[in-house]
Amino acid sequence: MSTDVSTAAAPSTATPSGAKNATTVKDNLWRAAVILGLLILWAVLSLLSDLVSSPAASFAALAELFADGSIYRHLSATLEAVAIGFLIAAAIGFPLGYAIGRSKFLGAVFDPIVAGAFAVPRIVFFPVLLQIFGVGVGAQSVMAALAAVFPIMVSTTAGVRAITPVLPKLARSLSLNPFQTVTKIYVPAMAPALMVGIRIGFSIAFINVIIAEFFAARAGLGLLALRAYGQLDLPSMYGIIVLLAAIALIGNMILWAAERRLSEKT
């Protein structure tokens, strides 16, 4: 009888896998089509305006920056600032959001404060950060952390509040300690909301690092793009913009894949 059950169950497990693979291929084809369409639009715009460098010239200029090695110092500075700022934001935003979401008192006190602080442009704090940390990765990392901490905090709070009351009872019935309750019960349950906040936080951290590099930096892709613009080197400027878009896309795709795997596991 067990053989019959396993045989009957086999088609049901194979079909969703095949459908999932087909959907993935279809999605990738659509993504490739969108990217191709954007490249065609870019090429047309370059023919219509002298202010737009052609895709071929931009990619060639970007390849030259990598070939002569001048871009690596700037790329390293930008990625370092984004990584440090994002990790700081996650380390602060998750526990604060969890505490606010779990406590009605903290929620009543801090919800309006967080909403108001979220609306303040973080760039207004950059001159102060320059005075404290000086020109360099330090100020840019804190700038990224200030920007990314709010979406992570807000999404964590929303995820905690969306947890069904059954789960805390389940944790108590299993005699889980507070750490186990958070890691084994709460985090998987709030994973969708949490990962959305993490993806948004990464994007905002990346954007704010580039903005900070426009104002004051010793190195960074934002500074490099600004220099190219000042020298009217449009191919290099557009090439750097393409690199920035690629970094943001790859980072978001990695986080998106982690979100899907965590959701499926949950």
Side-chain angles (χ1 to χ4, degrees), residues 61 64-75 221 224 227:
E64 185 177 348
L65 289 173
F66 276 102
D68 62 23
S70 61
I71 198 173
Y72 290 107
R73 179 172 68 95
H74 299 281
L75 177 61
L221 294 178
L224 193 60
R227 287 178 178 174

